Amino acid sequence: DSGVTQTPKHLITATGQRVTLRCSPRSGDLSVYWYQQSLDQGLQFLIQYYNGEERAKGNILERFSAQQFPDLHSELNLSSLELGDSALYFCASSESGTSGKHYEQYFGPGTRLTVT
Amino acid sequence: EDQVTQSPEALRLQEGESSSLNCSYTVSGLRGLFWYRQDPGKGPEFLFTLYSAGEEKEKERLKATLTKKESFLHITAPKPEDSATYLCAVRRDSSASKIIFGSGTRLSIRP
C-alpha cells in the first residue's frame, strides 16, 4: 500500500458527460501528479500540483482540468468525454524538500474510466 | 528528442532462469532514473532510483544498474510472483514533474 488513495475505483459514463476523479496524497507529501494510462499510449503525464499551485503541465487536453485543495487532496475533472478518454487514471505523490527522494513518486491504485 | 526505450517488450522465463531487462535513454541532463513494477490494473510500485553511472541498487531478487546510456534490471532466480510489467522512467531536468516513462517490459515467470 503506497499510502495514496483514489476514488472511485471504477467509473462508467456516457460520451459528452463530465466526471471528477479524486486523489489523496501520502501524509506529508505536497506534490500531486496525474497520469493517464491507455493500452496504446502507456503512462502519460498530465499535470502536477505543488501545495495548491499548478507546477507543470504535460499532455493534458483542454477538456481536462485539475486542482489541489488546502488539505492537499486533488481532483481531476474530465468533461465532454469521448470514447478515447477511456483509460486508467493514476494519481501519484512525492516528498517535498531538498532530499533526492522528492523525485520518487508513489502511485495510487487508479481509477478505471470507461466511456460508452 | 528525449526518449526512453525498454526492451524486450515481453519476456517469458522459467522459474529460476535469471535474465536482464534493458532501459536505454537519450535525455539531456539526466537527473535520475527510476524503476517501477506494475501489476495488471494496479498502480506502479516504486522499486529503485539511480542517479549516477556505476550506481547499483538491490532488492530481494532484483538488482538495478546504471550506465551513461542505459540501465539494466537484473532478476536472479525469479519466481512466478515476480511476473509483472517493469517500467523505467527518467527525470531530465531540475523539475520533479518532467519524468518520462518507457513503455515497459512484460515479464512472465512460468512455474
Side-chain angles (χ1 to χ4, degrees):
Chain A
D1 184 356
S2 67
V4 178
T5 60
Q6 289 187 249
T7 56
K9 286 186 179 180
H10 302 278
L11 201 49
I12 301 175
T13 189
T15 54
Q17 295 298 305
R18 172 189 170 97
V19 297
T20 297
L21 313 183
R22 182 187 168 105
C23 167
S24 292
R26 295 188 314 162
S27 176
D29 285 357
L30 296 181
S31 280
V32 168
Y33 312 79
W34 286 98
Y35 290 87
Q36 179 191 58
Q37 188 176 44
S38 56
L39 285 175
D40 58 345
Q41 292 287 333
L43 202 60
Q44 299 289 317
F45 167 70
L46 295 178
I47 197 165
Q48 180 208 1
Y49 277 81
Y50 177 82
N51 201 20
E53 295 188 0
E54 182 183 303
R55 176 62 66 90
K57 269 187 174 180
N59 302 323
I60 189 166
L61 299 172
E62 286 190 9
R63 301 183 285 110
F64 296 0
S65 64
Q67 53 184 326
Q68 187 179 27
F69 295 87
D71 67 352
L72 301 178
H73 90 271
S74 178
E75 293 180 355
L76 179 67
N77 301 295
L78 315 176
S79 60
S80 303
L81 285 167
E82 303 174 359
L83 295 177
D85 297 327
S86 296
L88 272 167
Y89 290 84
F90 290 107
C91 165
S93 72
S94 65
E95 291 185 12
S96 309
T98 56
S99 75
K101 288 189 176 181
H102 75 286
Y103 304 120
E104 298 169 0
Q105 298 182 10
Y106 292 83
F107 284 76
T111 293
R112 181 176 294 280
L113 173 66
T114 302
V115 182
T116 62
Chain B
E1 183 183 348
D2 296 333
Q3 273 193 322
V4 178
T5 304
Q6 292 189 245
S7 61
E9 286 189 10
L11 181 62
R12 296 188 69 187
L13 300 172
Q14 198 69 34
E15 183 173 3
E17 180 185 0
S18 301
S19 188
S20 296
L21 314 182
N22 178 263
C23 171
S24 63
Y25 59 91
T26 52
V27 298
S28 54
L30 179 74
R31 303 289 184 181
L33 185 141
F34 310 90
W35 282 99
Y36 288 84
R37 169 194 169 125
Q38 186 175 25
D39 292 300
K42 297 191 175 181
E45 174 191 347
F46 171 77
L47 294 173
F48 304 110
T49 306
L50 301 166
Y51 290 105
S52 56
E55 190 175 358
E56 299 182 352
K57 295 271 181 76
E58 284 190 68
K59 180 179 180 179
E60 295 180 355
R61 295 177 292 282
L62 298 176
K63 178 178 167 181
T65 61
L66 181 66
T67 72
K68 288 187 177 180
K69 293 183 178 181
E70 58 192 348
S71 177
F72 292 94
L73 185 65
H74 308 277
I75 182 160
T76 303
K79 299 181 178 181
E81 53 263 41
D82 294 322
S83 298
T85 295
Y86 290 85
L87 298 168
C88 166
V90 298
R91 184 171 69 87
R92 59 183 172 90
D93 63 17
S94 60
S95 167
S97 60
K98 295 190 189 299
I99 294 178
I100 305 168
F101 278 83
S103 54
T105 293
R106 292 190 311 278
L107 178 64
S108 175
I109 309 298
R110 300 188 299 269

